[in-house]
């Protein structure tokens, strides 16, 4: 049916309802400009017999005539047209905008006495007219009364007589027709018996009034078993005169009722001018029934006494008399608001702004009520109107902000709060709303776009002051600093977050981006790596890591990272591109890739110092160059091992305290002990544990706890010879504090344990960069060189150590061993002797010296 055009002009828009008699539709009149809405009632005659149909047609025509006449009353919809189409009959009526009384009763089942009096006045007035036209309505009930929105008057719809058409059978008599029309509960016995009269409508109105007073549905009201009279007066307190009148309206015997609406209305009028019903109407100010000003005052009076329901009735009287009275509409809106009838209140305010589009207060009230109804989309334009009309209304700016916030338009909301605060700097509510929104936004990064970083920063600082462990506040602080381009400080903030929440991948990611901005690419790589450790499927982090490794020329690692990104997101174009670029560079043979870990280690090199070039070379992955550089710088003369020199075992591995505990391989005939510091030798197995970690003055407390944890874990694992895990622990510690020489030395030791001597050397080198005067570290480097069979380099290291600490019996001892390997036996013995001079009971030196001397003697004997 929807969209169908009836009668050549009425296009169906919506189904409104319908019952046994037919269907009712909302339609648009295509013949009129703007296609105004109208109601189309369809009546389906059940009969097929042509004669009966003809009779029905006649009845339809005559009823329609009556309806045209009735439609002249302002409380009855106009009948625009009636026609027959496809064996159905149609009535076209004026569409009444409003709400049926039955709905009103659902919301508010009980009315005040005064409301019911007004309702009766309204209803009996129109019914008087209907009866004057010699028409009995036959179906007065709440669902056939529409409260017209524009003036709050009751409109009577759905006259029963036309319904006959739909039920009339061929040989139906009058009785069978009328029985079918009417609604049980509101229908008196004579109507039920097929003899409706004017007083039947009076009965229905009386029942409706009693329902409104008691809140009881008519069918549920008790009846006197003897008299069949309705018993209702015990249900509600009303003035006896008014109750008597209602009793008269609903008498079982129609002869005892008021004959028609006119008679009933006259009685009601007389009641309202005499006590005590008059008292109910609060006569002092009511000069007359139609004196709308008096009703307005009455309404105000009731409003002030918080009798909102009655106040509304009074305002309605004003509106009935003067539908354009904006004051009454406005006050009615306020009364409705107090009754929490927000929908109705909104409609009332809407009426005010229709009448007075410049009434900013009505716009404001309208908007506020819509907010209460959570109709934010509708509320926003009303607030817009307020701020348009009153640009300095800071309340409106604030409330507008709230609506925008609810509509997820955060930026605009902040701007609105801003305006409110600008207009009234001490407007705490706006200040708070704004702050609250800002703090919510920090989770979604929208803060970036809002440019209130200074304030955000101040607010974070306040939070941190109260709770230094508030990770979120630190995170916010980092972001704000980031936006203020105070990157170094941002790093500190983010570091604090990772300390508090080591698994917070977001902050690692942010840290990575900042490191990039600071051109600290290696640290950025490490940060992104952290992200993927926590979130292995974070393809963005894999991609960013790949990108940075690419610019660091760590091509293999970069490809691996891009690969991961592509695995996780095959259509990741940037990663595909990156990978292609790196492959191209590799093909052109630009560099030799090195293991990633080395590169990461290299990243911590500080510029300057003797190892600067080495660090640069290491970044370029020329490890051999690193060694050469190292060698050259320490010892410019070139020491080349004697051609064909054999490596000789001079002592068996020892597990004595004195020779160290690091039995690094199982070989029986190789010197494997890691050169120890003097202290280490003295302390024996516990040497490593005694290692003091000097925390640089610049280190902040924030990394302390995490750092120590990792360091201690590393030491324990190292002691257990779980070198790989120890390395990992040290690396974690290194990320928190890359500036601790002792840590680098420990790290070198485990790399040594893992027989990754080159890397061990790099680690030791880093320790030396931080602590260049530590002779013990030189010994460590020398030891690694020994393992690499770079005896000359080893010798250089030991000599460097001796330079730094001439009385280091360890350095002398190891120097002796390097010389031995270089077949400089005499010098070797001399070096061992020196060690023993410094520390006479130093067993390893003693035994090695004895062995060499023994071998020398054997050689002499041979020659
Ligand atoms: N002139 C009108 N203006 C606005 N709404 C109307 C008009 N006439 C009827 N309606 C509405 O259309 C809907 C259907 O009305 P209709 O009276 O045809 O059927 P009904 O009330 O469901 O059944 P019954 O005929 O048994 O009373 C109702 O909600 C009514 O309020």
């Amino acid at each position: 049916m929807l969209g169908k055009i009836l009668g050549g002009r009425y296009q169906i828009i919506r189904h409104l309802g319908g019952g046994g008699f037919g269907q009712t539709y909302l339609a648009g009149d295509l013949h009129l400009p703007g296609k105004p809405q109208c109601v189309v009632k369809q009546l389906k005659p059940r009969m097929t017999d042509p004669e009966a149909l003809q009779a029905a047609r006649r009845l339809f025509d005559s009823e329609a005539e009556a309806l045209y006449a009735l439609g002249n009353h302002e409380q009855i919809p106009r009948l625009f047209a009636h026609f027959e189409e496809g064996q159905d009959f149609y009535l076209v009526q004026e569409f009444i905008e409003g709400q049926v009384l039955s709905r009103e009763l659902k919301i508010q089942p009980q009315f005040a006495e005064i409301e019911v009096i007004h309702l009766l006045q309204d209803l009996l007035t129109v019914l008087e007219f209907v009866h004057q036209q010699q028409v009995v309505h036959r179906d007065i009930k709440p669902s056939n009364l529409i409260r017209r929105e524009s003036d709050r008057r009751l409109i009577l719809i759905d006259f029963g007589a036309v319904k006959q058409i739909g039920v009339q059978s061929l040989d139906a008599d009058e009785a069978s027709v009328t029985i079918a029309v009417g609604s049980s509960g509101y229908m008196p016995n004579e109507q039920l018996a097929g003899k409706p009269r004017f007083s039947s409508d009076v009965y229905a109105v009386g029942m409706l009034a009693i329902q409104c007073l008691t809140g009881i549905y008519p069918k549920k009201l008790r009846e006197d078993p003897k008299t069949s009279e309705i018993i209702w007066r015990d249900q509600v307190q009303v003035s006896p005169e008014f109750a008597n009148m209602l009793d008269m309206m609903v008498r079982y015997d129609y002869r005892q009722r008021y004959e028609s609406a006119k008679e009933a209305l006259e009685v009601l009028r007389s009641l309202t001018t005499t006590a005590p019903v008059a008292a109910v109407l609060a006569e002092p100010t009511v000069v007359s029934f139609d004196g709308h000003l008096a009703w307005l005052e009455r309404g105000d009076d009731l409003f002030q006494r918080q009798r909102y329901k009655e106040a509304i009735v009074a305002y309605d009287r004003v509106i009935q008399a003067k539908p354009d009275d904006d004051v009454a509409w406005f006050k009615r809106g306020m009364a409705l608001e107090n009754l929490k009838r927000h929908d109705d209140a909104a409609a009332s305010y809407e009426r005010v702004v229709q009448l007075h589009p410049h009434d900013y207060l009505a716009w404001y009230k309208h908007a506020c009520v819509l907010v209460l109804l959570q109709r934010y989309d509708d509320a926003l334009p009303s607030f817009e109107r307020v701020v348009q009309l009153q640009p300095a209304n800071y309340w409106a700016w604030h409330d507008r902000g709230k609506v925008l916030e609810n509509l997820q338009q955060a930026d605009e909301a902040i701007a609105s709060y801003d305006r409110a605060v600008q207009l009234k700097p001490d407007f705490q509510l706006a200040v708070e709303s704004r702050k609250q929104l800002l703090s919510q936004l920090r989770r979604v990064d929208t803060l970036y776009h809002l440019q209130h970083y200074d304030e955000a920063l101040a607010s974070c600082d306040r939070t941190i002051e109260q709770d230094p462990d508030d990770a979120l506040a630190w995170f916010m602080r980092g972001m704000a600093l980031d936006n203020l381009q105070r990157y170094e400080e941002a790093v500190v903030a983010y570091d604090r977050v990772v300390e508090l929440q080591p698994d917070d991948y977001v902050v690692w990611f942010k840290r990575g981006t900042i490191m990039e901005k600071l051109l600290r690419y290696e640290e950025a790589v490490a940060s992104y790596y952290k992200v993927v450790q926590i979130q292995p499927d974070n393809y963005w982090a894999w991609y960013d890591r790949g990108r940075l490794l690419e610019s660091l020329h760590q091509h293999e690692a970069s490809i691996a990272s891009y690969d991961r990104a592509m695995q996780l997101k095959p259509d990741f174009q940037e990663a595909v591109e990156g990978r292609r670029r790196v492959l191209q560079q590799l093909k052109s043979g630009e560099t030799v890739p090195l293991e990633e870990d080395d590169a990461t280690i290299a990243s911590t090199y500080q510029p300057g110092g003797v190892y600067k070039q080495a660090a640069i070379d290491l970044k370029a992955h020329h490890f051999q160059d690193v060694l050469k550089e190292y060698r050259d710088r320490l010892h410019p003369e070139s020491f080349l091992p004697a051609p064909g020199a054999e490596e000789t075992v001079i002592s068996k591995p020892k597990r004595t305290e004195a020779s160290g505990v690091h039995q690094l391989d199982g070989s029986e005939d190789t010197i494997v002990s890691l050169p120890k510091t003097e202290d280490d030798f003295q302390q024996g197995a516990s040497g490593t544990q005694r290692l003091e970690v000097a925390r640089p003055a610049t280190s902040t407390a924030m990394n302390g706890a995490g750092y120590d944890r990792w360091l201690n874990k590393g030491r324990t694992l190292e002691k257990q010879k779980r070198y790989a895990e120890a390395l990992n622990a040290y690396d974690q510690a290194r990320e928190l504090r890359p500036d601790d020489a002792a840590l680098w030395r420990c790290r070198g030791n485990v790399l040594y344990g893992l027989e990754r001597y080159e890397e061990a050397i790099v680690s030791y080198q880093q320790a030396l960069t931080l602590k260049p005067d530590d002779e013990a570290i030189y010994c460590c480097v020398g030891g690694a060189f020994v393992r690499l069979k770079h005896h000359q380099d080893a010798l250089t290291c030991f000599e460097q150590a001796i330079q730094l600490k001439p009385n280091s019996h360890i350095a002398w001892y190891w120097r002796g061993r390097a010389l031995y390997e270089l077949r400089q036996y005499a010098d070797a013995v001399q070096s061992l002797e020196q060690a023993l001079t410094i520390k006479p009971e130093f067993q390893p030196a003693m035994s090695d010296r004895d062995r060499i001397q023994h071998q020398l003697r054997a050689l002499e004997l041979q020659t």
Side-chain angles (χ1 to χ4, degrees), residues 16-24 39 41 77 93-97 100 139 141 143-144 146 157-158 163:
L16 289 175
F21 306 108
Q23 302 300 318
T24 306
V39 170
K41 272 183 173 273
Q93 286 179 354
E94 175 190 4
F95 171 67
I96 308 294
E97 209 149 352
V100 284
D139 201 10
K141 59 181 176 180
S143 64
N144 281 339
I146 299 178
I157 62 163
D158 214 12
K163 293 180 181 173

Side-chain angles (χ1 to χ4, degrees), residues 3-159:
K4 194 171 173 183
I5 298 170
L6 295 167
R9 65 187 280 188
Y10 305 106
Q11 187 168 37
I12 303 302
I13 298 170
R14 181 156 56 91
H15 184 235
L16 289 175
F21 306 108
Q23 302 300 318
T24 306
Y25 300 95
L26 179 69
D29 185 348
L30 302 180
H31 281 196
L32 292 177
K35 299 178 199 165
Q37 293 185 331
C38 55
V39 170
V40 175
K41 272 183 173 273
Q42 180 194 43
L43 298 155
K44 272 187 178 299
R46 299 241 174 98
M47 62 291 282
T48 46
D49 179 84
E51 245 181 75
L53 210 58
Q54 191 51 39
R57 192 171 291 129
R58 274 199 303 276
L59 179 64
F60 177 59
D61 282 339
S62 69
E63 288 305 328
E65 283 311 316
L67 288 177
Y68 280 118
L70 287 168
N72 285 328
H73 193 276
E74 59 164 355
Q75 282 174 270
I76 297 172
R78 282 192 175 283
L79 185 69
F80 293 141
H82 78 290
F83 59 90
E84 188 182 337
E85 191 170 292
Q87 299 205 324
D88 291 336
F89 298 106
Y90 292 95
L91 294 171
V92 184
Q93 286 179 354
E94 175 190 4
F95 171 67
I96 308 294
E97 209 149 352
Q99 179 170 275
V100 284
L101 189 66
S102 48
R103 254 208 85 188
E104 228 172 78
L105 281 165
K106 265 196 191 118
I107 301 164
Q108 186 194 343
Q110 241 180 314
F111 287 15
E113 182 179 347
I114 184 174
E115 286 179 291
V116 179
I117 293 172
H118 293 311
L119 185 140
L120 280 192
Q121 284 171 342
D122 222 13
L123 192 47
L124 289 172
T125 309
V126 60
L127 200 58
E128 183 185 20
F129 172 77
V130 172
H131 289 177
Q132 271 166 11
Q133 304 298 308
Q134 303 306 306
V135 174
V136 181
H137 185 283
R138 302 189 197 182
D139 201 10
I140 294 171
K141 59 181 176 180
S143 64
N144 281 339
L145 289 165
I146 299 178
R147 173 92 69 192
R148 183 161 55 201
E149 190 51 57
S150 60
D151 60 2
R152 311 296 303 157
R153 300 203 78 166
L154 283 176
I155 312 300
L156 187 58
I157 62 163
D158 214 12
F159 282 75

Side-chain angles (χ1 to χ4, degrees), residues 545-599:
R545 181 170 174 273
R547 188 170 47 76
L548 288 183
L549 287 165
E550 182 188 340
S551 47
L552 287 168
H553 300 282
Q554 295 176 31
H555 294 144
E556 283 186 357
S558 166
I559 287 182
S561 233
Y562 283 141
D563 275 349
R564 278 305 292 271
M566 282 157 57
Q567 266 170 22
L568 292 161
K569 188 171 159 58
D571 62 338
F572 198 170
Q573 269 317 310
E574 290 93 332
V576 175
E577 264 304 299
R579 191 177 191 280
R580 196 186 49 74
R581 271 196 314 270
V582 181
L583 277 173
Q584 246 170 15
Q585 285 174 33
L586 269 180
K587 263 192 223 138
S588 65
E590 263 180 26
T591 55
V592 180
L594 185 75
E595 265 191 56
E596 190 182 295
D597 199 36
D598 288 337

